[in-house]
Amino acid sequence: MEEAPLFLPNIADGEDKTSPFKNCIRKNYRHLRKWAKRTQSNAFRIYDREINHYPLAIDFYAGRFCVHYFLRRDDDDQPPSALVEEVEDVLSAIFGADPSAIYWRTRFKRAKSEQYQKTGVHQEFFTVLEYGLKFRVNLVDYIDTGLFLDHRETRKMIGELSRGKRVLNLFAYTCSFSVHAAAGGALFTKSVDMSNTYTAWGRENFLLNGLSLENNEIVREDCLKFLDEAIQAREKYDLIIIDPPTISRSKKMDQMFDIQIDYIPLLAKAARLLAEKGTIFFSTNSRKFVFEKSLTETFSIKEISHKTLPQDFHDPKIHRCWTISNLEIKGN
Ligand SMILES: C[S@@+](CC[C@H](N)C(=O)[O-])C[C@H]1O[C@@H](n2cnc3c(N)ncnc32)[C@H](O)[C@@H]1O
């Protein structure tokens, strides 16, 4: 098994009174570094839009940096060059980072059909650590990096709850939830995603952690179709993770997926696969998402977002997360 170095550079403690931006990053990193060393993690957010003139989020990935620029209304689609230069100077001053280790991503509303497609053909993969587990990451070639850092605590929670459990991970992407579940002692995991690229990436993540694919099945399929088949086959799971995209459209699906419309059949079908006392972990990044009130007649729904938001993320709406269980089972 490949050993991934922790790579958390020590930085000098030189406060720079002329740059609140630089001080903010230095302070955040120095604080997070202690936690990161203790927990064997090296992928976390070191700046999250704390200062108004710097509409950025900067993620540290084992010595490389992913800079998300949140476009303002009057921008064209690129960050201003003075800002790019300043960010590069600051990351170089604090971490000695070379510009080639800094990857810019512009956050603007993409056309619906553009989501989750490749952006290039560089194939620059490397490994990061999260609570001692290894994950393949790529900051260049895809719309997302392979590991959504805002769900780090949710993954840890799933890992801790999985011992002896049958775990289903829908919209599994690179299987990061499933890897935590398997490493936490799950009886078996099943990960479902319709993308060839991401199911292959997920397979690599299991193998990277020395986890056998025998007990960790990866299925390339539309989740809604999979659910129908699994209900027919009377499959049962103790934990079901559902963290879907807000919107997705693909040739492999019969129709477009829209979380606010499709969550009801999704939850209704997933609930039929729950074993007695089983729990669904449901999450969305949609800021507009609301549960229909009548669902509380069928399900026990508890919001746990305050427990799943990591310390390095300052936007409380980055995601929301709930546990959902069947009411009739709870009542009996
Ligand atoms: C936002 S990511 C999900 C994040 C993921 N749950 C995680 O833990 O990192 C969206 C994923 O959903 C997959 N996807 C979108 N629509 C799907 C569908 N109808 N059935 C199966 N997978 C789907 C995409 O291929 C992509 O991997």
Side-chain angles (χ1 to χ4, degrees), residues 116 146 148 155 169-174 176-177 192-195 198 221-224 243-245 248 253 257 285:
Y116 300 108
F148 288 104
R155 289 189 283 269
N169 182 10
L170 299 175
F171 306 91
Y173 187 47
T174 57
S176 53
F177 274 114
V192 185
D193 197 285
M194 68 178 181
S195 152
Y198 299 137
E221 197 167 8
D222 179 333
C223 285
L224 285 152
D243 172 31
S248 125
M253 286 155 56
F257 176 87
N285 298 102

PDB file of all heavy atoms in Angstrom, residues 116 146 148 155 169-174 176-177 192-195 198 221-224 243-245 248 253 257 285, ligand 1:
ATOM      1  N   TYR A 116     -20.384  18.365 -13.784  1.00  0.00           N
ATOM      2  CA  TYR A 116     -19.722  17.078 -13.631  1.00  0.00           C
ATOM      3  C   TYR A 116     -19.108  16.545 -14.906  1.00  0.00           C
ATOM      4  O   TYR A 116     -19.076  15.367 -15.152  1.00  0.00           O
ATOM      5  CB  TYR A 116     -20.668  16.034 -12.998  1.00  0.00           C
ATOM      6  CG  TYR A 116     -21.091  16.524 -11.672  1.00  0.00           C
ATOM      7  CD1 TYR A 116     -22.373  16.976 -11.463  1.00  0.00           C
ATOM      8  CD2 TYR A 116     -20.168  16.629 -10.651  1.00  0.00           C
ATOM      9  CE1 TYR A 116     -22.732  17.511 -10.243  1.00  0.00           C
ATOM     10  CE2 TYR A 116     -20.512  17.165  -9.446  1.00  0.00           C
ATOM     11  CZ  TYR A 116     -21.795  17.607  -9.245  1.00  0.00           C
ATOM     12  OH  TYR A 116     -22.132  18.135  -8.057  1.00  0.00           O
ATOM     13  N   GLY A 146     -12.718  15.564  -6.360  1.00  0.00           N
ATOM     14  CA  GLY A 146     -12.718  14.149  -5.964  1.00  0.00           C
ATOM     15  C   GLY A 146     -13.061  13.997  -4.490  1.00  0.00           C
ATOM     16  O   GLY A 146     -13.440  12.912  -4.046  1.00  0.00           O
ATOM     17  N   PHE A 148     -15.175  16.275  -1.526  1.00  0.00           N
ATOM     18  CA  PHE A 148     -15.873  17.492  -1.077  1.00  0.00           C
ATOM     19  C   PHE A 148     -15.529  17.726   0.389  1.00  0.00           C
ATOM     20  O   PHE A 148     -16.015  17.008   1.272  1.00  0.00           O
ATOM     21  CB  PHE A 148     -17.383  17.338  -1.260  1.00  0.00           C
ATOM     22  CG  PHE A 148     -17.818  17.396  -2.698  1.00  0.00           C
ATOM     23  CD1 PHE A 148     -18.167  16.252  -3.393  1.00  0.00           C
ATOM     24  CD2 PHE A 148     -17.870  18.617  -3.367  1.00  0.00           C
ATOM     25  CE1 PHE A 148     -18.554  16.312  -4.724  1.00  0.00           C
ATOM     26  CE2 PHE A 148     -18.262  18.688  -4.699  1.00  0.00           C
ATOM     27  CZ  PHE A 148     -18.605  17.530  -5.378  1.00  0.00           C
ATOM     28  N   ARG A 155     -18.483  12.306   6.902  1.00  0.00           N
ATOM     29  CA  ARG A 155     -17.822  11.025   6.581  1.00  0.00           C
ATOM     30  C   ARG A 155     -17.280  10.375   7.844  1.00  0.00           C
ATOM     31  O   ARG A 155     -17.391   9.161   8.044  1.00  0.00           O
ATOM     32  CB  ARG A 155     -16.692  11.255   5.566  1.00  0.00           C
ATOM     33  CG  ARG A 155     -17.186  11.587   4.175  1.00  0.00           C
ATOM     34  CD  ARG A 155     -16.056  11.599   3.169  1.00  0.00           C
ATOM     35  NE  ARG A 155     -15.233  12.777   3.230  1.00  0.00           N
ATOM     36  CZ  ARG A 155     -15.432  13.896   2.530  1.00  0.00           C
ATOM     37  NH1 ARG A 155     -16.444  13.979   1.700  1.00  0.00           N
ATOM     38  NH2 ARG A 155     -14.621  14.929   2.651  1.00  0.00           N
ATOM     39  N   ASN A 169     -24.497   3.659  -0.360  1.00  0.00           N
ATOM     40  CA  ASN A 169     -24.114   5.045  -0.656  1.00  0.00           C
ATOM     41  C   ASN A 169     -24.616   5.403  -2.058  1.00  0.00           C
ATOM     42  O   ASN A 169     -24.087   4.911  -3.059  1.00  0.00           O
ATOM     43  CB  ASN A 169     -22.575   5.162  -0.554  1.00  0.00           C
ATOM     44  CG  ASN A 169     -22.075   6.580  -0.803  1.00  0.00           C
ATOM     45  OD1 ASN A 169     -22.866   7.528  -0.873  1.00  0.00           O
ATOM     46  ND2 ASN A 169     -20.766   6.728  -0.931  1.00  0.00           N
ATOM     47  N   LEU A 170     -25.657   6.235  -2.115  1.00  0.00           N
ATOM     48  CA  LEU A 170     -26.219   6.632  -3.415  1.00  0.00           C
ATOM     49  C   LEU A 170     -25.569   7.933  -3.885  1.00  0.00           C
ATOM     50  O   LEU A 170     -25.215   8.774  -3.068  1.00  0.00           O
ATOM     51  CB  LEU A 170     -27.731   6.822  -3.291  1.00  0.00           C
ATOM     52  CG  LEU A 170     -28.525   5.573  -2.864  1.00  0.00           C
ATOM     53  CD1 LEU A 170     -30.004   5.921  -2.646  1.00  0.00           C
ATOM     54  CD2 LEU A 170     -28.397   4.457  -3.909  1.00  0.00           C
ATOM     55  N   PHE A 171     -25.433   8.112  -5.196  1.00  0.00           N
ATOM     56  CA  PHE A 171     -24.721   9.273  -5.776  1.00  0.00           C
ATOM     57  C   PHE A 171     -23.309   9.305  -5.164  1.00  0.00           C
ATOM     58  O   PHE A 171     -22.835  10.323  -4.672  1.00  0.00           O
ATOM     59  CB  PHE A 171     -25.464  10.588  -5.496  1.00  0.00           C
ATOM     60  CG  PHE A 171     -26.902  10.569  -5.935  1.00  0.00           C
ATOM     61  CD1 PHE A 171     -27.912  10.175  -5.060  1.00  0.00           C
ATOM     62  CD2 PHE A 171     -27.234  10.908  -7.238  1.00  0.00           C
ATOM     63  CE1 PHE A 171     -29.233  10.130  -5.476  1.00  0.00           C
ATOM     64  CE2 PHE A 171     -28.564  10.878  -7.657  1.00  0.00           C
ATOM     65  CZ  PHE A 171     -29.572  10.483  -6.765  1.00  0.00           C
ATOM     66  N   ALA A 172     -22.648   8.155  -5.227  1.00  0.00           N
ATOM     67  CA  ALA A 172     -21.435   7.921  -4.432  1.00  0.00           C
ATOM     68  C   ALA A 172     -20.229   8.717  -4.895  1.00  0.00           C
ATOM     69  O   ALA A 172     -19.258   8.827  -4.151  1.00  0.00           O
ATOM     70  CB  ALA A 172     -21.109   6.437  -4.454  1.00  0.00           C
ATOM     71  N   TYR A 173     -20.248   9.225  -6.138  1.00  0.00           N
ATOM     72  CA  TYR A 173     -19.113  10.011  -6.667  1.00  0.00           C
ATOM     73  C   TYR A 173     -17.848   9.161  -6.524  1.00  0.00           C
ATOM     74  O   TYR A 173     -17.804   8.059  -7.069  1.00  0.00           O
ATOM     75  CB  TYR A 173     -19.065  11.354  -5.928  1.00  0.00           C
ATOM     76  CG  TYR A 173     -18.078  12.387  -6.427  1.00  0.00           C
ATOM     77  CD1 TYR A 173     -17.946  12.698  -7.769  1.00  0.00           C
ATOM     78  CD2 TYR A 173     -17.292  13.100  -5.520  1.00  0.00           C
ATOM     79  CE1 TYR A 173     -17.053  13.680  -8.204  1.00  0.00           C
ATOM     80  CE2 TYR A 173     -16.401  14.082  -5.942  1.00  0.00           C
ATOM     81  CZ  TYR A 173     -16.283  14.359  -7.290  1.00  0.00           C
ATOM     82  OH  TYR A 173     -15.391  15.324  -7.700  1.00  0.00           O
ATOM     83  N   THR A 174     -16.827   9.599  -5.783  1.00  0.00           N
ATOM     84  CA  THR A 174     -15.575   8.836  -5.698  1.00  0.00           C
ATOM     85  C   THR A 174     -15.546   7.900  -4.475  1.00  0.00           C
ATOM     86  O   THR A 174     -14.474   7.495  -4.019  1.00  0.00           O
ATOM     87  CB  THR A 174     -14.378   9.803  -5.647  1.00  0.00           C
ATOM     88  OG1 THR A 174     -14.588  10.667  -4.518  1.00  0.00           O
ATOM     89  CG2 THR A 174     -14.287  10.652  -6.900  1.00  0.00           C
ATOM     90  N   SER A 176     -16.125   8.321  -1.285  1.00  0.00           N
ATOM     91  CA  SER A 176     -15.435   8.711  -0.042  1.00  0.00           C
ATOM     92  C   SER A 176     -16.251   8.344   1.202  1.00  0.00           C
ATOM     93  O   SER A 176     -15.672   7.934   2.217  1.00  0.00           O
ATOM     94  CB  SER A 176     -15.072  10.191  -0.060  1.00  0.00           C
ATOM     95  OG  SER A 176     -16.203  10.970  -0.333  1.00  0.00           O
ATOM     96  N   PHE A 177     -17.571   8.463   1.146  1.00  0.00           N
ATOM     97  CA  PHE A 177     -18.383   8.020   2.297  1.00  0.00           C
ATOM     98  C   PHE A 177     -18.195   6.514   2.509  1.00  0.00           C
ATOM     99  O   PHE A 177     -18.077   6.043   3.641  1.00  0.00           O
ATOM    100  CB  PHE A 177     -19.879   8.293   2.051  1.00  0.00           C
ATOM    101  CG  PHE A 177     -20.324   9.670   2.437  1.00  0.00           C
ATOM    102  CD1 PHE A 177     -20.766  10.570   1.476  1.00  0.00           C
ATOM    103  CD2 PHE A 177     -20.324  10.067   3.760  1.00  0.00           C
ATOM    104  CE1 PHE A 177     -21.192  11.844   1.838  1.00  0.00           C
ATOM    105  CE2 PHE A 177     -20.752  11.342   4.140  1.00  0.00           C
ATOM    106  CZ  PHE A 177     -21.186  12.230   3.157  1.00  0.00           C
ATOM    107  N   VAL A 192     -23.365   3.479  -5.409  1.00  0.00           N
ATOM    108  CA  VAL A 192     -24.024   3.574  -6.714  1.00  0.00           C
ATOM    109  C   VAL A 192     -23.794   4.961  -7.313  1.00  0.00           C
ATOM    110  O   VAL A 192     -24.050   5.978  -6.662  1.00  0.00           O
ATOM    111  CB  VAL A 192     -25.551   3.325  -6.578  1.00  0.00           C
ATOM    112  CG1 VAL A 192     -26.214   3.291  -7.964  1.00  0.00           C
ATOM    113  CG2 VAL A 192     -25.833   2.050  -5.801  1.00  0.00           C
ATOM    114  N   ASP A 193     -23.308   4.990  -8.527  1.00  0.00           N
ATOM    115  CA  ASP A 193     -23.144   6.251  -9.252  1.00  0.00           C
ATOM    116  C   ASP A 193     -23.233   5.926 -10.743  1.00  0.00           C
ATOM    117  O   ASP A 193     -22.813   4.856 -11.174  1.00  0.00           O
ATOM    118  CB  ASP A 193     -21.788   6.890  -8.936  1.00  0.00           C
ATOM    119  CG  ASP A 193     -21.744   8.363  -9.332  1.00  0.00           C
ATOM    120  OD1 ASP A 193     -21.638   8.655 -10.543  1.00  0.00           O
ATOM    121  OD2 ASP A 193     -21.830   9.228  -8.433  1.00  0.00           O
ATOM    122  N   MET A 194     -23.758   6.868 -11.529  1.00  0.00           N
ATOM    123  CA  MET A 194     -23.940   6.531 -12.951  1.00  0.00           C
ATOM    124  C   MET A 194     -22.699   6.826 -13.788  1.00  0.00           C
ATOM    125  O   MET A 194     -22.688   6.519 -14.974  1.00  0.00           O
ATOM    126  CB  MET A 194     -25.131   7.280 -13.512  1.00  0.00           C
ATOM    127  CG  MET A 194     -24.899   8.738 -13.577  1.00  0.00           C
ATOM    128  SD  MET A 194     -26.316   9.531 -14.282  1.00  0.00           S
ATOM    129  CE  MET A 194     -25.724  11.203 -14.253  1.00  0.00           C
ATOM    130  N   SER A 195     -21.658   7.400 -13.194  1.00  0.00           N
ATOM    131  CA  SER A 195     -20.489   7.790 -13.995  1.00  0.00           C
ATOM    132  C   SER A 195     -19.405   6.712 -13.986  1.00  0.00           C
ATOM    133  O   SER A 195     -18.981   6.251 -12.927  1.00  0.00           O
ATOM    134  CB  SER A 195     -19.932   9.108 -13.436  1.00  0.00           C
ATOM    135  OG  SER A 195     -18.555   9.211 -13.691  1.00  0.00           O
ATOM    136  N   TYR A 198     -16.221   8.232 -12.245  1.00  0.00           N
ATOM    137  CA  TYR A 198     -16.213   8.327 -10.780  1.00  0.00           C
ATOM    138  C   TYR A 198     -16.273   6.954 -10.121  1.00  0.00           C
ATOM    139  O   TYR A 198     -15.712   6.773  -9.041  1.00  0.00           O
ATOM    140  CB  TYR A 198     -17.333   9.260 -10.294  1.00  0.00           C
ATOM    141  CG  TYR A 198     -17.151  10.670 -10.825  1.00  0.00           C
ATOM    142  CD1 TYR A 198     -18.214  11.422 -11.313  1.00  0.00           C
ATOM    143  CD2 TYR A 198     -15.873  11.247 -10.860  1.00  0.00           C
ATOM    144  CE1 TYR A 198     -18.021  12.709 -11.815  1.00  0.00           C
ATOM    145  CE2 TYR A 198     -15.670  12.520 -11.365  1.00  0.00           C
ATOM    146  CZ  TYR A 198     -16.748  13.245 -11.838  1.00  0.00           C
ATOM    147  OH  TYR A 198     -16.546  14.511 -12.337  1.00  0.00           O
ATOM    148  N   GLU A 221     -24.878   2.851 -12.143  1.00  0.00           N
ATOM    149  CA  GLU A 221     -26.280   2.864 -12.554  1.00  0.00           C
ATOM    150  C   GLU A 221     -26.958   4.165 -12.105  1.00  0.00           C
ATOM    151  O   GLU A 221     -26.488   4.828 -11.172  1.00  0.00           O
ATOM    152  CB  GLU A 221     -27.021   1.666 -11.940  1.00  0.00           C
ATOM    153  CG  GLU A 221     -28.312   1.410 -12.656  1.00  0.00           C
ATOM    154  CD  GLU A 221     -28.944   0.067 -12.316  1.00  0.00           C
ATOM    155  OE1 GLU A 221     -28.474  -0.634 -11.410  1.00  0.00           O
ATOM    156  OE2 GLU A 221     -29.947  -0.257 -12.954  1.00  0.00           O
ATOM    157  N   ASP A 222     -28.061   4.479 -12.745  1.00  0.00           N
ATOM    158  CA  ASP A 222     -28.906   5.583 -12.301  1.00  0.00           C
ATOM    159  C   ASP A 222     -29.498   5.173 -10.944  1.00  0.00           C
ATOM    160  O   ASP A 222     -30.064   4.078 -10.810  1.00  0.00           O
ATOM    161  CB  ASP A 222     -30.011   5.765 -13.362  1.00  0.00           C
ATOM    162  CG  ASP A 222     -30.977   6.879 -13.011  1.00  0.00           C
ATOM    163  OD1 ASP A 222     -31.159   7.180 -11.817  1.00  0.00           O
ATOM    164  OD2 ASP A 222     -31.566   7.447 -13.947  1.00  0.00           O
ATOM    165  N   CYS A 223     -29.363   6.035  -9.952  1.00  0.00           N
ATOM    166  CA  CYS A 223     -29.794   5.653  -8.594  1.00  0.00           C
ATOM    167  C   CYS A 223     -31.283   5.330  -8.526  1.00  0.00           C
ATOM    168  O   CYS A 223     -31.690   4.437  -7.775  1.00  0.00           O
ATOM    169  CB  CYS A 223     -29.488   6.778  -7.603  1.00  0.00           C
ATOM    170  SG  CYS A 223     -27.743   6.852  -7.221  1.00  0.00           S
ATOM    171  N   LEU A 224     -32.102   6.046  -9.289  1.00  0.00           N
ATOM    172  CA  LEU A 224     -33.544   5.781  -9.200  1.00  0.00           C
ATOM    173  C   LEU A 224     -33.878   4.391  -9.755  1.00  0.00           C
ATOM    174  O   LEU A 224     -34.682   3.657  -9.193  1.00  0.00           O
ATOM    175  CB  LEU A 224     -34.342   6.899  -9.876  1.00  0.00           C
ATOM    176  CG  LEU A 224     -34.359   8.157  -8.980  1.00  0.00           C
ATOM    177  CD1 LEU A 224     -34.497   9.421  -9.784  1.00  0.00           C
ATOM    178  CD2 LEU A 224     -35.418   8.085  -7.888  1.00  0.00           C
ATOM    179  N   ASP A 243     -26.525  11.817  -0.873  1.00  0.00           N
ATOM    180  CA  ASP A 243     -25.980  13.174  -0.997  1.00  0.00           C
ATOM    181  C   ASP A 243     -25.925  13.505  -2.492  1.00  0.00           C
ATOM    182  O   ASP A 243     -24.869  13.455  -3.118  1.00  0.00           O
ATOM    183  CB  ASP A 243     -24.570  13.205  -0.355  1.00  0.00           C
ATOM    184  CG  ASP A 243     -23.866  14.526  -0.611  1.00  0.00           C
ATOM    185  OD1 ASP A 243     -24.554  15.555  -0.717  1.00  0.00           O
ATOM    186  OD2 ASP A 243     -22.623  14.521  -0.711  1.00  0.00           O
ATOM    187  N   PRO A 244     -27.096  13.811  -3.077  1.00  0.00           N
ATOM    188  CA  PRO A 244     -27.169  13.961  -4.542  1.00  0.00           C
ATOM    189  C   PRO A 244     -26.775  15.356  -5.015  1.00  0.00           C
ATOM    190  O   PRO A 244     -26.688  16.275  -4.206  1.00  0.00           O
ATOM    191  CB  PRO A 244     -28.660  13.728  -4.830  1.00  0.00           C
ATOM    192  CG  PRO A 244     -29.372  13.867  -3.538  1.00  0.00           C
ATOM    193  CD  PRO A 244     -28.381  14.024  -2.426  1.00  0.00           C
ATOM    194  N   PRO A 245     -26.566  15.502  -6.330  1.00  0.00           N
ATOM    195  CA  PRO A 245     -26.357  16.854  -6.861  1.00  0.00           C
ATOM    196  C   PRO A 245     -27.675  17.627  -6.792  1.00  0.00           C
ATOM    197  O   PRO A 245     -28.744  17.018  -6.658  1.00  0.00           O
ATOM    198  CB  PRO A 245     -25.969  16.592  -8.318  1.00  0.00           C
ATOM    199  CG  PRO A 245     -26.567  15.272  -8.647  1.00  0.00           C
ATOM    200  CD  PRO A 245     -26.610  14.484  -7.375  1.00  0.00           C
ATOM    201  N   SER A 248     -28.991  17.419 -12.135  1.00  0.00           N
ATOM    202  CA  SER A 248     -28.089  16.690 -13.022  1.00  0.00           C
ATOM    203  C   SER A 248     -28.844  16.185 -14.246  1.00  0.00           C
ATOM    204  O   SER A 248     -30.015  15.815 -14.167  1.00  0.00           O
ATOM    205  CB  SER A 248     -27.400  15.570 -12.233  1.00  0.00           C
ATOM    206  OG  SER A 248     -27.561  14.330 -12.807  1.00  0.00           O
ATOM    207  N   MET A 253     -29.403   8.966 -18.082  1.00  0.00           N
ATOM    208  CA  MET A 253     -30.626   9.003 -17.281  1.00  0.00           C
ATOM    209  C   MET A 253     -31.816   9.237 -18.193  1.00  0.00           C
ATOM    210  O   MET A 253     -31.683   9.890 -19.223  1.00  0.00           O
ATOM    211  CB  MET A 253     -30.565  10.183 -16.299  1.00  0.00           C
ATOM    212  CG  MET A 253     -29.629   9.965 -15.158  1.00  0.00           C
ATOM    213  SD  MET A 253     -29.062  11.525 -14.497  1.00  0.00           S
ATOM    214  CE  MET A 253     -30.578  12.356 -14.101  1.00  0.00           C
ATOM    215  N   PHE A 257     -32.458  15.157 -13.289  1.00  0.00           N
ATOM    216  CA  PHE A 257     -32.652  14.998 -11.849  1.00  0.00           C
ATOM    217  C   PHE A 257     -32.642  16.386 -11.215  1.00  0.00           C
ATOM    218  O   PHE A 257     -31.736  17.179 -11.446  1.00  0.00           O
ATOM    219  CB  PHE A 257     -31.515  14.140 -11.265  1.00  0.00           C
ATOM    220  CG  PHE A 257     -31.582  14.011  -9.770  1.00  0.00           C
ATOM    221  CD1 PHE A 257     -32.350  13.005  -9.191  1.00  0.00           C
ATOM    222  CD2 PHE A 257     -30.898  14.890  -8.939  1.00  0.00           C
ATOM    223  CE1 PHE A 257     -32.424  12.893  -7.806  1.00  0.00           C
ATOM    224  CE2 PHE A 257     -30.978  14.784  -7.562  1.00  0.00           C
ATOM    225  CZ  PHE A 257     -31.738  13.782  -6.995  1.00  0.00           C
ATOM    226  N   ASN A 285     -26.722  20.456  -1.102  1.00  0.00           N
ATOM    227  CA  ASN A 285     -26.064  21.764  -1.165  1.00  0.00           C
ATOM    228  C   ASN A 285     -27.036  22.829  -1.669  1.00  0.00           C
ATOM    229  O   ASN A 285     -26.675  24.000  -1.749  1.00  0.00           O
ATOM    230  CB  ASN A 285     -24.874  21.736  -2.140  1.00  0.00           C
ATOM    231  CG  ASN A 285     -23.820  20.763  -1.699  1.00  0.00           C
ATOM    232  OD1 ASN A 285     -23.731  19.667  -2.230  1.00  0.00           O
ATOM    233  ND2 ASN A 285     -23.043  21.137  -0.717  1.00  0.00           N
TER     234      ASN A 285
HETATM  235  C1  LIG B   1     -22.500  16.103  -5.872  1.00  0.00           C
HETATM  236  S1  LIG B   1     -21.755  14.614  -6.440  1.00  0.00           S
HETATM  237  C2  LIG B   1     -22.212  13.637  -5.100  1.00  0.00           C
HETATM  238  C3  LIG B   1     -21.258  13.798  -3.961  1.00  0.00           C
HETATM  239  C4  LIG B   1     -21.028  12.524  -3.233  1.00  0.00           C
HETATM  240  N1  LIG B   1     -22.218  12.063  -2.557  1.00  0.00           N
HETATM  241  C5  LIG B   1     -19.850  12.550  -2.281  1.00  0.00           C
HETATM  242  O1  LIG B   1     -19.947  11.941  -1.236  1.00  0.00           O
HETATM  243  O2  LIG B   1     -18.811  13.145  -2.551  1.00  0.00           O
HETATM  244  C6  LIG B   1     -22.814  14.089  -7.719  1.00  0.00           C
HETATM  245  C7  LIG B   1     -22.616  12.647  -8.179  1.00  0.00           C
HETATM  246  O3  LIG B   1     -23.900  12.140  -8.518  1.00  0.00           O
HETATM  247  C8  LIG B   1     -23.785  11.360  -9.700  1.00  0.00           C
HETATM  248  N2  LIG B   1     -25.141  11.326 -10.280  1.00  0.00           N
HETATM  249  C9  LIG B   1     -25.887  12.366 -10.707  1.00  0.00           C
HETATM  250  N3  LIG B   1     -27.123  11.934 -11.053  1.00  0.00           N
HETATM  251  C10 LIG B   1     -27.151  10.582 -10.842  1.00  0.00           C
HETATM  252  C11 LIG B   1     -28.142   9.579 -10.965  1.00  0.00           C
HETATM  253  N4  LIG B   1     -29.359   9.855 -11.408  1.00  0.00           N
HETATM  254  N5  LIG B   1     -27.826   8.302 -10.616  1.00  0.00           N
HETATM  255  C12 LIG B   1     -26.569   8.003 -10.176  1.00  0.00           C
HETATM  256  N6  LIG B   1     -25.593   8.928 -10.012  1.00  0.00           N
HETATM  257  C13 LIG B   1     -25.876  10.198 -10.333  1.00  0.00           C
HETATM  258  C14 LIG B   1     -22.712  12.031 -10.515  1.00  0.00           C
HETATM  259  O4  LIG B   1     -22.117  11.121 -11.421  1.00  0.00           O
HETATM  260  C15 LIG B   1     -21.741  12.497  -9.411  1.00  0.00           C
HETATM  261  O5  LIG B   1     -20.760  11.532  -9.159  1.00  0.00           O
END
